Structures are given as C-alpha cells and as structure tokens.
C-alpha cells in the first residue's frame, strides 16, 4: 500500500519562474492537505481540498499560489513568479475521510523548493 | 502569532532514560492535540494524540499528558531508544478536519 507520493522531491527555480508540485494521495484517500515548512519553523497549513473542491484555503497567500485536486490525477500546488521567500519544504498529507476530532494525517516526504 | 509553542529547540537524553518534550498553546478552542515525529528528508509521521476531554493517553512507550488549565501538554517517552532520535512536533486542531497548527519542533537526541 503505497504512501503519499510527492514529486519532484527537489525543485530549483529562478526568481520569476513557476513551480508546480504534485501530490498523489494514498489509495482510497480523497482528502488532501498542503502544508509549508519554512527553515527553522514548524509546518503551516495552506489548503484543504477534496476531489474537485477547495474546502479551506485560509493559509494560502492571496497572490501567486493556487491549488487543485482534479477528478483524475494528482493534486497540484502551483506557485507563479516565485520569489526567494518561497524557498521551503512543501508537504502534502491525505486522509480517507474528513477526520472528525483526531486530525491524524498521512504525510508525504515533501518537495523542497529552492529559489535562486 | 504563535498559537502552539515548543520552547526547547533541542533535548539530549541517555538511552533507557525518560524523554519529556513540552508544548504550550494559547488557543482555548483547540479540541485535540497530536505529536508527530520527523526524520530528516522525510515527512512527519503520527505518533499519538489526545482529545481535550482527556488528561492522559498512553500507547506503549509513549504517553501524552494534557493540562488544560495551564494550556500545556507533554510527551513522555520511556525508555528512550537511539531510534527515537528525531524532530518532534506538537500540533493542535480545532476543526472537524485536518487543519493543524504546529509548534516549531524539538530535536531529540538519544545517546547510546
């Protein structure tokens, strides 16, 4: 039973380019979360998606960031016109249900974005 | 606005002894708390959780204690093993889904 798969594991972009991070949830999981970890900090919630729907995007920066989870295929976190401050580890997590009361999530290994 | 804080960046413990990791929070609306363990270049893995209506939850060598009046929780690992060396994150949730607020993490090193 494969875990949460994220790719690429490492991505280098120059300022102004676009970054696309992909996440395939665990089999049978239809709920996906994206978290960001800046250096020396904890993980910060960005967005929660179910298939074809964004449920909570309260942690997403208002500009340049977008996320989707289409009916078919992986969830995608897109960062347009990257800046150095976007350099971070981006973690995807999935769950089989809405998780009333426990919050237990299964995390991927993360995608490390470096902006030059 | 750091709603969940882990004030100790690191902790060093001898194998076989107890490791105690601490976490403080400010938001009274959190109704469940979790600990995650993270190895370098890997994602966090769930360790143990506790509901706000309880004050203790135990799972093998791991016990989490919750003191709601002090807004404090702690993770006890007994006995500590070298394989426990990792970063430990405290997290809290107040929604019906997996929107969690994480602390900054504590690096635990267990010496043989």
């Amino acid at each position: 039973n494969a875990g949460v798969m994220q790719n690429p594991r490492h991505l280098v972009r120059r300022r102004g380019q676009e970054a696309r991070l992909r996440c395939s949830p665990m089999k049978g999981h239809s709920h996906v979360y994206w978290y960001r970890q800046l250096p020396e900090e904890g993980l910060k919630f960005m967005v929660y998606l179910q298939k074809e729907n964004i449920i909570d995007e309260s942690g997403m920066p208002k500009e340049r960031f977008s996320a989707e989870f289409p009916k078919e295929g992986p969830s995608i976190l897109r960062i347009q016109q990257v800046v150095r401050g976007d350099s971070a580890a981006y973690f995807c997590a999935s769950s089989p249900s809405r998780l009333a009361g426990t919050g237990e999530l299964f995390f991927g290994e993360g995608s490390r974005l470096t902006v030059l | 606005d750091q709603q969940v804080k882990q004030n100790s960046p690191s902790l060093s413990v001898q194998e076989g002894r107890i490791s105690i990791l601490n976490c403080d929070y400010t938001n009274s609306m959190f109704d469940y708390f979790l600990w995650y363990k993270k190895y370098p270049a890997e994602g966090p893995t769930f360790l143990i959780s506790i509901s706000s209506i309880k004050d203790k939850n135990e799972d093998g060598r791991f016990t989490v204690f919750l003191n709601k009046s002090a807004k404090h929780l702690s993770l006890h690992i007994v006995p500590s093993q070298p394989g426990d060396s990792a970063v430990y994150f405290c997290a809290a949730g107040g929604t019906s889904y997996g929107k969690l607020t994480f602390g900054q993490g504590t690096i635990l090193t267990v010496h043989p």
Side-chain angles (χ1 to χ4, degrees):
Chain A
N1 186 16
V4 178
M5 304 299 292
Q6 290 189 245
N7 69 83
R9 294 292 310 278
H10 300 275
L11 182 62
V12 178
R13 285 287 179 265
R14 295 192 181 279
R15 281 178 296 170
Q17 291 184 319
E18 179 179 285
R20 284 195 188 196
L21 309 177
R22 286 175 289 278
C23 169
S24 296
M26 288 180 71
K27 188 175 181 180
H29 288 197
S30 59
H31 299 249
V32 164
Y33 301 78
W34 286 93
Y35 281 80
R36 176 166 69 172
Q37 184 183 22
L38 296 171
E40 309 301 323
E41 294 187 15
L43 284 76
K44 289 194 168 31
F45 169 81
M46 299 182 75
V47 62
Y48 164 41
L49 310 103
Q50 293 178 26
K51 284 283 188 183
E52 300 184 276
N53 289 304
I54 296 174
I55 308 301
D56 182 348
E57 57 181 348
S58 58
M60 288 268 278
K62 294 287 184 281
E63 297 176 353
R64 303 188 297 107
F65 285 72
S66 62
E68 63 178 11
F69 188 16
K71 188 176 179 182
E72 301 291 336
S75 175
I76 306 254
L77 180 67
R78 182 182 294 113
I79 312 171
Q80 296 177 302
Q81 299 174 337
V82 296
V83 300
R84 288 221 173 102
D86 297 333
S87 295
Y90 292 83
F91 291 95
C92 173
S94 72
S95 66
S97 65
R98 195 171 163 89
L99 292 179
T102 64
E104 180 184 338
L105 303 175
F106 294 88
F107 281 86
E109 294 183 324
S111 292
R112 278 148 187 85
L113 172 64
T114 301
V115 180
L116 302 177
Chain B
D1 177 23
Q2 194 77 29
Q3 295 189 59
V4 177
K5 282 187 181 179
Q6 294 175 255
N7 291 315
S8 298
S10 62
L11 175 68
S12 183
V13 169
Q14 204 69 31
E15 181 179 7
R17 307 294 289 267
I18 185 171
S19 295
I20 300 177
L21 298 113
N22 294 301
C23 179
D24 297 297
Y25 63 96
T26 57
N27 188 344
S28 303
M29 300 304 289
F30 290 137
D31 54 22
Y32 55 90
F33 302 88
L34 311 94
W35 285 92
Y36 280 85
K37 176 180 176 179
K38 184 181 180 304
Y39 293 115
E42 294 185 11
T45 54
F46 170 76
L47 206 52
I48 192 169
S49 64
I50 187 167
S51 164
S52 62
I53 62 173
K54 298 193 171 183
D55 54 21
K56 177 182 175 181
N57 188 26
E58 193 171 348
D59 184 1
R61 296 186 297 115
F62 303 92
T63 303
V64 56
F65 295 91
L66 175 63
N67 182 333
K68 283 181 64 179
S69 60
K71 294 191 175 69
H72 177 83
L73 67 154
S74 60
L75 174 68
H76 293 211
I77 305 173
V78 181
S80 301
Q81 300 173 353
D84 296 329
S85 298
V87 180
Y88 288 78
F89 289 100
C90 164
T95 64
S96 62
Y97 49 93
K99 180 179 180 180
L100 302 177
T101 301
F102 281 81
Q104 310 96 304
T106 297
I107 301 170
L108 174 65
T109 304
V110 180
H111 298 283

